[in-house]
Amino acid sequence: MPLVRVTMLKGKSSEYIKQLSQSIYEALVEAYLMPENDMFQIIEQLEPGTLIYDRRFGIDGERSDDFILINIESDARRRDEKKAFVARLVEKLSVLPGLSPDDVFVRLSANTVMEDWSFGGGKVASDIEYPAG
């Protein structure tokens, strides 16, 4: 049950955002073992000058103004699942919406118990029966 927050500079079209969202969702389902339809995303666009980042830190290339921060909060995953997910995510985003791998910054954060989540209705996530996927 990942909660995804994407932060980027203002100015992207609704089609670009739709493609970005769909690619993230597909990578989560394909490589992060997320159930289908478990889609909760926040896409925020900031004014120029309010998203501050180094153009080269930690990469061989250079980041552009298309740089995005993707924060994903979910239940815990194993190291190999995280590595597979990040690789698949960057692969999908390079196709749609056409992001350079150097412009994709990912932060994975884990909750330890299902009681840290509620989808609504006054119930914690551990009290919900999920459809077989």
Side-chain angles (χ1 to χ4, degrees):
M1 54 207 55
L3 173 61
V4 177
R5 178 183 294 269
V6 180
T7 306
M8 61 187 164
L9 289 175
K10 191 175 266 187
K12 299 300 182 193
S13 70
S14 59
E15 183 61 25
Y16 182 96
I17 292 170
K18 182 179 177 181
Q19 292 173 352
L20 175 78
S21 170
Q22 188 64 30
S23 289
I24 293 169
Y25 169 76
E26 289 174 5
L28 284 165
V29 171
E30 293 169 12
Y32 210 61
L33 310 176
M34 180 183 84
E36 287 188 26
N37 301 318
D38 186 357
M39 179 187 261
F40 298 93
Q41 299 181 354
I42 302 163
I43 312 270
E44 57 188 357
Q45 296 187 66
L46 303 178
E47 294 292 333
T50 61
L51 179 60
I52 300 165
Y53 56 93
D54 189 90
R55 298 273 177 169
R56 291 188 177 89
F57 183 81
I59 59 173
D60 293 330
E62 185 170 335
R63 295 181 180 93
S64 74
D65 289 340
D66 289 333
F67 175 71
I68 62 172
L69 292 165
I70 302 174
N71 289 286
I72 300 173
E73 190 168 341
S74 71
D75 51 335
R77 295 293 197 274
R78 293 184 309 248
R79 183 171 192 227
D80 59 330
E81 292 169 337
K82 293 177 187 179
K83 288 174 69 172
F85 165 69
V86 170
R88 185 68 177 137
L89 175 65
V90 169
E91 178 183 317
K92 291 193 82 64
L93 290 172
S94 70
V95 175
L96 286 175
L99 278 167
S100 165
D102 288 340
D103 283 329
V104 180
F105 180 104
V106 179
R107 178 184 175 266
L108 302 173
S109 175
N111 289 95
T112 56
V113 293
M114 296 295 286
E115 290 78 22
D116 290 341
W117 299 90
S118 172
F119 294 114
K123 296 180 182 178
V124 294
S126 59
D127 290 342
I128 298 171
E129 290 187 37
Y130 300 95

